Amino acid sequence: MSISLERRYADRVEEFAARHPFLVDLAMVLGLMGCAALGGSLTLPSADPPDQDKTATVLTGVACLVLLKHRTHPRTVVVVAGGCTVAAVALGYLVTPLLLAPVMAALYWLAALTDRRSTRGYGLTTLLAVTLAAVFSDSMNHVSLLLRTIGPIFWLMLPLAAGKMTQLRRAYLRSVQARAEHAERTREEEARLRVTEERMRIARELHDVVAHHMALANAQAGTAAHLALTNPEQTRRILTDLTGTTSSALRELKAALGLLRQNDQHDAGPGITALEPAPGLARLPELVAACESAGLEVTVTTEGEPQPLSPGVDLTAFRIVQEALTNVTKHATAEAARVRLEYTGSRLLITVTDDGTSKPEAVTPQGRGFGVMGMRERAHSIGGQLCAGPRPQGGFEVATALPLQPSTLPAEGTTP
């Protein structure tokens, strides 16, 4: 309680000093004038007081008044205050801390406001001048040479040390404040980066879920309309598959939105069903069947010994194959596509090719659509690579190389 109260008063004093610096400096000067006047009246019991009272008053007054400029001209203040003090000591006034108060204040501000070189040069010069004046002063004849030397050195070294400590403390506080501001800026930048990454992740996930199923639904509906009169039985099967496609799209969309609504992944709110596991290459047969119901024949071949994949790599591989087949359905006039999975060492190579011709709206003017961009971002997020483009012999190819264990596990590894 007492510590907090003292801290509160100290903060108020610092705030007042920052708002009214001249008043604080004026109060300090008046206090130092009183100290110097009292110091000028002190003498040793066996010594006679000097006769130049008016001279001493003028000297101490000038030494104190010049302190009003200590914030802007600390070196000049030390020179003037030191010269007045040396003159007063030379006139025979006793060297006491009260008489030395103005020059002590000047030395303190010199050490607190200037660099180390100025502090050494002006401070040591002033200290030497006052000490020599005390050694040869008549008022100190009854004091041993050792005391005449040690006394001024001790009293003048104190403000130099205190001023340097104040300077170091201010530098430390500035560095702490700078680090705090830097940390705050860094936290804000990291927060913005996380928000941007999360938006990109959600956009990729919703694109993969919605675009794939909508493309399949569109192809199934077109095929059913084409065969409605000539092959009613096949039309019925396609419409049945179309119902399954739209239902699957709604389930995945609901799961994705449900994940966004949850505050805690382990505690779903009322009306939110448990989330399905993230899809992986194990669901390739379902994907192939859905594409075939839309009129696209898909062949899947596996080379090498299948290796276990981390959830993030498994999801990324499935989404890349899904998006590649979706692009074939939407943008190419192909009737067949081939998916090749090759396990080589610590990497999984995936190639999706078709023999069709791309439609004009297949890509943007730069040659890259959002689907290809999303696939490339997914591959890069786990340390993989992806290339996509037309084949020399015709058709389109998407080739990616993914590590079996990602270097950094992406956040979408847990997204349905």
Side-chain angles (χ1 to χ4, degrees), residues 229-306:
L229 298 178
T230 60
N231 195 338
E233 185 64 28
Q234 186 175 358
T235 300
R236 188 181 302 108
R237 289 197 301 270
I238 293 176
L239 291 178
T240 302
D241 294 337
L242 176 59
T243 303
T245 300
T246 54
S247 299
S248 178
L250 290 175
R251 285 196 306 271
E252 290 199 31
L253 187 59
K254 182 179 180 181
L257 296 179
L259 181 64
L260 295 178
R261 289 176 178 271
Q262 283 183 333
N263 293 326
D264 190 349
Q265 294 183 357
H266 304 287
D267 185 15
I272 299 179
T273 57
L275 302 180
E276 297 180 357
L281 293 180
R283 290 180 56 179
L284 271 184
E286 299 179 20
L287 181 61
V288 170
C291 292
E292 290 178 347
S293 67
L296 179 66
E297 182 181 353
V298 180
T299 304
V300 180
T301 58
T302 302
E303 299 180 8
E305 184 67 23

Side-chain angles (χ1 to χ4, degrees), residues 373-385:
M373 184 187 304
M375 288 189 291
R376 184 171 287 109
E377 289 175 354
R378 283 186 179 275
H380 289 172
S381 67
I382 60 172
Q385 297 176 344

Side-chain angles (χ1 to χ4, degrees), residues 5-22:
L5 189 61
E6 292 176 1
R7 183 59 186 171
R8 185 185 307 172
Y9 285 126
D11 292 340
R12 290 181 179 178
V13 170
E14 292 180 359
E15 183 180 357
F16 180 82
R19 288 186 301 178
H20 307 284
F22 179 76

Side-chain angles (χ1 to χ4, degrees), residues 102-153:
V103 72
M104 290 173 64
L107 290 174
Y108 171 82
W109 291 114
L110 175 74
L113 299 177
T114 62
D115 56 2
R116 183 173 299 179
R117 182 176 181 180
S118 297
T119 302
R120 289 178 177 176
Y122 287 86
L124 294 180
T125 301
T126 303
L127 187 148
L128 180 62
V130 174
T131 302
L132 290 177
V135 169
F136 295 102
S137 174
D138 295 337
S139 63
M140 306 291 287
N141 290 334
H142 301 81
V143 181
S144 65
L145 180 61
L146 181 62
L147 293 179
R148 279 187 274 178
T149 305
I150 292 180
I153 292 177

